[in-house]
Amino acid sequence: MRNLFPVSGFMLSVALIGAGIASTFAADETLRSYAEKNDIYIGAILNSQWFGGGLPAQYEQIHKTQFNIVVAENEMKFDATEPSENRFNYNNGDKMVKYAKQNGMRVRGHALAWHSQVPNWVNNYKNDKKKLLSVLKNHINNVVGHWKGQVDEWDVVNEAISNNEPMWRSYSVWYQGIGPEFIDSAFVWAHAADPDAELCYNDYNLEQGVNPKAKAGFLLEQVKRWVANGIPITCVGSQTHVEDTTTDKHFIGSPDSLRSLARELAKLNIKLKITELDIGFKSGINVSKSDLERQGQTFRQYLDIILEEPNADTYLIWGVSDKWSWLGGLNRQKGLIYDDNLKPKPAFDSLLVRLQNFEPPQDTIVTDTTSSDTTAQDSSIAIAQSAGPGSVTMHVAGRTLFIAGTQSAKVDVFDMRGRPVFSARSENGSVELKGIPEGLYVVRVRNGSASLTKRFAIK
Ligand code: G3I
């Protein structure tokens, strides 16, 4: 369970990032150590050069020291794992899974159904819906089945939504040959192959707001439908390939917009994960020290979503060092947290200082003003009033949740990774919160359209 009060430890850090003064940290203070203290995952790809053995040893040393989650840049995609029909190649994936297990890391699988990096033999069946369905089902059964219990989460479907308008991407052998229902089937098959794996829909440009015209708005409508239909989706992956705000005037994304998607997904009990983060600058421009410090602040703002939103738990960067990054293909540069010489950039410092100083958010422990009940003075747990007069309010004393403003309400309690840990109906204005271990939680009280969600800590 999340450490509520991270040990400050003996810090050698002189954290003056604002002044751009380099900071040094104690050896045991890593992104990974703080991620684990806060029950989240911070990671990076193992890039394709790693699989080929062409990297300096320092790359892997940094990777396993700083990160607790890993994904293969290309080596678990369709073309890599089933290069010819029904002939599977797991060698590189096995190498990564072995590395992850040796280093106690969580594993992301990327990606089962995607329009890109599909081997040519699949396109031979593009006009045969029945065959295409059996090809996709066979691929998922074999690949997910091979790594059952070893790959903790999958990008089941990647980039199925059009870039430009709120609709499905038509340029896709799966969409063209089967229709959008390939998505529903892919999730059902993946769940059957590994019922314990988390199953994500993954896409980019989801940090541009949740209005119906935006990609995330269209996705949200699909997630609501999938959830209502019992499709076993558990998470949305936001790739978050963004450009520094000063060099891309057209870029309309922002951390706040992504946070709004996280909050909408929380209502559906679906997680948000940042899965491919890089914050690049236009290629060819001179990137100054202040540019790199601003980049560091943007990296931190995206990390804040993972630290602060109860249904967000993963912060994965699409690379370790600027020396090896796909960004050149996108006419961008310097989008990662280590430089060409594998030295930490201001963005690394910005993340570590934020983690050092992060206290899990919780409501002010206040005396509840709606009750004369002296137990409400109980300092062990209380919940700040947040609703206005006449609406639903709640507070907790001891292990009892008191609800005012409604006689009957549905109560759900989630841990800080968005997993439901308790559910009950209150009929008389109170509920006993039984069997909940110490920790930080989010409690949601719903009565028809009225809904109140607050965090509290049981010490
Ligand atoms: O393996 C071949 C090699 O045999 C050949 O010699 C070489 C030169 O042609 O190409 C190699 O394949 C390349 C592959 O990366 C492995 O290095 C492909 O050409 C190249 O297109 C491919 O690029 C990858 C890209 O996905 C493909 O769409 C990038 O490395 C990878 O970072 C990028 O990752 C994607 C995510 O999967 C989905 N989200 C977007 C993200 C960036 O595009």
Side-chain angles (χ1 to χ4, degrees), residues 114-393:
W114 186 25
H115 67 278
S116 179
Q117 292 181 269
V118 178
N120 290 332
W121 65 266
V122 172
N123 292 302
N124 298 335
Y125 301 119
K126 65 185 178 190
N127 300 314
D128 182 343
K129 176 172 181 174
K130 190 164 178 288
K131 176 65 178 173
L132 261 185
L133 278 164
S134 75
V135 162
L136 184 55
K137 182 175 183 179
N138 187 56
H139 181 77
I140 291 172
N141 282 346
N142 281 278
V143 172
V144 177
H146 176 77
W147 284 303
K148 179 176 179 180
Q150 302 179 86
V151 172
D152 302 287
E153 57 189 70
W154 280 101
D155 285 334
V156 176
V157 174
N158 191 43
E159 302 178 12
I161 298 173
S162 166
N163 242 354
N164 310 311
E165 53 273 305
M167 59 187 283
W168 296 117
R169 174 192 294 272
S170 56
Y171 173 66
S172 154
V173 66
W174 309 113
Y175 180 82
Q176 287 175 359
I178 299 168
E181 61 270 29
F182 84 87
I183 298 173
D184 308 51
S185 300
F187 276 95
V188 168
W189 295 331
H191 182 67
D194 187 351
D196 296 330
E198 286 191 44
L199 302 178
C200 293
Y201 173 87
N202 193 54
D203 214 327
Y204 58 90
N205 286 2
L206 297 182
E207 62 285 328
Q208 299 182 7
V210 291
N211 60 71
K213 289 259 178 282
K215 199 169 188 177
F218 178 78
L219 172 58
L220 205 49
E221 291 314 305
Q222 311 316 314
V223 176
K224 286 174 186 170
R225 179 169 54 81
W226 293 328
V227 169
N229 294 343
I231 298 299
I233 179 172
T234 62
C235 41
V236 162
S238 170
Q239 294 181 11
T240 323
H241 295 293
V242 296
E243 187 163 321
D244 176 69
T245 46
T246 57
T247 57
D248 180 350
K249 302 291 178 225
H250 306 297
F251 183 68
I252 54 173
S254 73
D256 285 348
S257 294
L258 188 59
R259 193 187 288 261
S260 59
L261 175 59
R263 290 187 170 167
E264 289 303 316
L265 291 171
K267 296 173 187 172
L268 302 167
N269 217 3
I270 295 291
K271 286 187 185 179
L272 177 91
K273 297 173 184 272
I274 291 179
T275 54
E276 306 184 14
L277 180 59
D278 40 46
I279 302 171
F281 298 90
K282 275 249 179 307
S283 289
I285 65 166
N286 173 50
V287 177
S288 68
K289 191 154 158 279
S290 63
D291 290 334
L292 291 173
E293 282 164 1
R294 183 180 60 252
Q295 179 190 49
Q297 294 317 307
T298 310
F299 266 102
R300 180 191 53 73
Q301 288 166 348
Y302 282 108
L303 177 61
D304 282 348
I305 299 172
I306 307 305
L307 289 169
E308 297 166 355
E309 296 305 321
N311 64 320
D313 67 357
T314 298
Y315 184 85
L316 205 147
I317 305 169
W318 204 248
V320 174
S321 153
D322 292 333
K323 184 175 174 66
W324 301 280
S325 166
W326 76 287
L327 277 176
L330 205 63
N331 195 29
R332 288 181 185 169
Q333 59 167 326
K334 299 187 189 301
L336 300 171
I337 65 174
Y338 284 85
D339 68 16
D340 288 357
N341 301 309
L342 284 164
K343 293 285 176 278
K345 294 161 61 176
F348 173 87
D349 291 348
S350 173
L351 293 175
L352 195 52
V353 168
R354 173 64 177 130
L355 286 160
Q356 278 178 332
N357 297 294
F358 174 68
E359 292 288 349
Q362 49 189 309
D363 301 286
T364 312
I365 304 290
V366 294
T367 303
D368 176 21
T369 55
T370 61
S371 156
S372 56
D373 176 350
T374 51
T375 56
Q377 312 300 327
D378 177 343
S379 60
S380 67
I381 310 168
I383 290 182
Q385 299 307 323
S386 72
S391 55
V392 176
T393 60

